[in-house]
Amino acid sequence: LLQEQTRAALADLAKTRAKLYALYWATEQADPTQVVERALSQTSYMARDEWRGNVRFAEYANAALSSNAPLSVVFGDEIELRAVKRPDQHFAGGDIVPLELTWAARSKPQANYKVFAHVLDARGNLVAQRDTEPQNGFRPTSSWYAGDEIQDRLGIGLPFGMPPGEYALVLGLYRSDTGARLKLADGTDALSLGALT
């Protein structure tokens, strides 16, 4: 009952707050089944996850995203990206860019892959990024089976003082053990998600 109440309270917060901040400390004792973090991963978009001593700080965004047309983009020969939802708006430094992804396993992945979402300037320099396993580590690709479809939310925290302009938003997957990126059919190793203003 307490877990259900906690999930309901977090869902209510997600409806009324643009951002949420969490301090995770002694979670093995306080929240051994990770109810709070799992609930936030399903309703919000984590953009930052940093350790400060023995306390972990996380920042989440909440947003309503419009539907985008379905996709069928294959990374390597194991993982397909079926849909991407992203906001159609302008951002400022300090904002979080939320993304909602639908992945599908074409076959059982042979490794753990991390998702990367990068913001690049006009020269291709990395300005902001979020690299994480799907569902903030709760659904690593090694746990997928052929036919599985996984909903994934992530946020990209934009740095304060970011100059105004047009930026490129790209997405991809890489092996967490070697850093090798999965290739697309055209030989590239990242999918363009268009411009970010």
Side-chain angles (χ1 to χ4, degrees), residues 111-156:
N112 272 330
Y113 295 101
K114 284 192 172 183
V115 179
F116 69 86
H118 292 175
V119 176
L120 309 174
D121 66 14
R123 294 182 178 184
N125 297 315
L126 182 65
V127 175
Q129 71 184 88
R130 176 77 175 140
D131 291 41
T132 182
E133 289 185 338
Q135 291 186 4
N136 297 315
F138 289 114
R139 282 302 305 273
T141 57
S142 60
S143 72
W144 298 4
Y145 291 92
D148 283 355
E149 190 170 275
I150 292 85
Q151 300 299 319
D152 189 19
R153 292 175 178 236
L154 61 88
I156 310 165

Side-chain angles (χ1 to χ4, degrees), residues 45-47 61 86-87 91 95-99 119 154-158 169 196:
Y45 303 86
M46 182 190 277
R86 58 165 281 192
F91 292 90
D95 286 348
I96 294 173
V97 180
L99 296 175
V119 176
L154 61 88
I156 310 165
L158 301 179
L169 181 58
L196 191 69

